Amino acid sequence: PPAAGASPGAISPFDRRLKRKQKNWAALQAEPAKCDYLREEVRGIAGPGRRRAAGLGRHSGRETFPLALDVGSGRGYIAQHLTKETVEKLIQVDVAENALKNAVETEIPTVRVVADEEFLPFKEDTFDLVVSSLSLHWVNDLPKAFKEIHQVLKPNGVFIGAMFGGDTLYELRCSLQLAELEREGGFSPHVSPFTAVADLGHLLSRAGFNTLTVDTDEIQVNYPGLFEVMEDLQGKYILCMGESNCSWNRKPLLHRETMLAAAAIYREMYGNSDGSVPATFQIYYMIGWKYHESQAKPAPRGSATVSFGDLAKIGGLISRGKK
C-alpha cells in the first residue's frame, strides 16, 4: 500500500488490490473463452510452432525443459500450447485465485500458486523456462519483476514474454484527451500507461538477461464507432479479462458531451474509408537468457578478417562464384 501522506500515483501507478479483485471477478464470468480473443492471438508465444520460440532447444542445448514457470498465467492460456515433450512440469502463478481455480486443464503436470508477479515465492536458480503473456503491463515495478524472473531462472534458462506496448489503444486515448481538453479544460487517463519499446531492452539487460530479442506486433480490430469500441472493451475484453483500468488517478466517468465530442474526433482522425474505426493493440515479444559459460561468446575485438567496407562488393563476389 502507498506510504502514509504520499500520493499513491507517486509511489506506483496501479492499485494492485483493485487489479486482483478485477481479475477474480473476470474469472467467474460465464463462457470466459469468448472474451479472450486477444489472448488467443498472443498465447502461443511459447508454443512449438511460434517462430519466436522456434530455436529454444537448439540454443539451450536440450530438447526439453524439466521445470517451467508461467508468470501471470490467468486461466492457463500458454499451457494450451505446451506439450509434455517440451515441458515436463509447469507451475502457474497468478495474483487472482479464481483464475487459477478455473484454469484450463493441460496434459502437463501442473502446480498452481497464488502470488504477485513482483514477489515470486521461489528460490534462486529453480526454473529452466519462464513465460509470461499479457500480464506484466499491470506491474508497478517492472525492473524488479524482471530481476525476480532472472533470479528464479537457472543458468542458461530462458525467459519468453509478451506484454502490451505503448501504442496500444492510441486512437482511443488521443480522442478522449482532445475531447476532454476541448469540453472540460483538462484530461485524466482513461487508458492505462504502457512501457515504451525503447526501454524494454534496457530493462531486460539491466536485470541481467543476455542474448536479447525484442520484437513488436500489432493487432487491429475495426468497430462501427467509438461507443462500440468502449462497449466491446468493457464488456468483452476489459471486464472479462480483468483488464479494467486500475490506475490510482483514473477518472470514474465521462460526461456525455465529452463522449460525443470524442466519437467525432475518433472518426475524423482515424476513421476508415468504409466508415468503421480501428482499435490498435501493440504487443511486445521478448526473449532473454540467463548467462551460462556454455553460451556462445562474441569474438574478441579486432579479430575480424573481413571489413564492413567489403560488404558493398558482395554482389560481385557472388556473381563471380556462380560463373
Side-chain angles (χ1 to χ4, degrees), residues 42-208:
V42 179
R43 69 177 182 172
I45 58 170
R50 189 79 183 192
R51 62 182 175 86
R52 294 178 180 87
L56 280 181
R58 181 176 70 254
H59 292 305
S60 63
R62 56 179 182 262
E63 295 298 326
T64 61
F65 297 89
L67 186 59
L69 172 67
D70 185 355
V71 177
S73 62
R75 295 177 55 251
Y77 311 98
I78 292 180
Q80 300 173 58
H81 280 253
L82 297 173
T83 65
K84 57 185 178 182
E85 286 76 24
T86 304
V87 173
E88 295 178 2
K89 186 176 181 179
L90 176 67
I91 295 182
Q92 295 176 330
V93 167
D94 200 277
V95 71
E97 57 271 22
N98 288 343
L100 296 175
K101 290 177 182 177
N102 292 278
V104 180
E105 292 300 322
T106 173
E107 63 178 17
I108 303 172
T110 302
V111 176
R112 300 181 175 96
V113 179
V114 178
D116 195 305
E117 293 93 335
E118 293 185 39
F119 306 97
L120 297 178
F122 305 107
K123 294 182 179 180
E124 188 174 354
D125 301 339
T126 298
F127 298 96
D128 305 277
L129 169 68
V130 176
V131 294
S132 179
S133 180
L134 301 187
S135 171
L136 294 176
H137 59 285
W138 287 123
V139 168
N140 276 316
D141 192 344
L142 190 57
K144 182 179 184 299
F146 283 152
K147 287 181 181 179
E148 291 268 324
I149 291 172
H150 182 270
Q151 181 173 316
V152 301
L153 272 173
K154 293 180 180 178
N156 203 35
V158 60
F159 166 57
I160 307 178
M163 62 186 294
F164 285 117
D167 286 340
T168 296
L169 296 175
Y170 71 89
E171 306 98 338
L172 178 62
R173 182 167 56 241
C174 291
S175 300
L176 290 172
Q177 288 177 356
L178 290 173
E180 279 192 294
L181 282 171
E182 177 191 348
R183 299 302 172 96
E184 302 178 31
F187 65 87
S188 299
H190 298 282
V191 179
S192 300
F194 297 104
T195 304
V197 68
D199 300 327
L200 196 56
H202 174 67
L203 292 176
L204 288 166
S205 178
R206 215 171 73 182

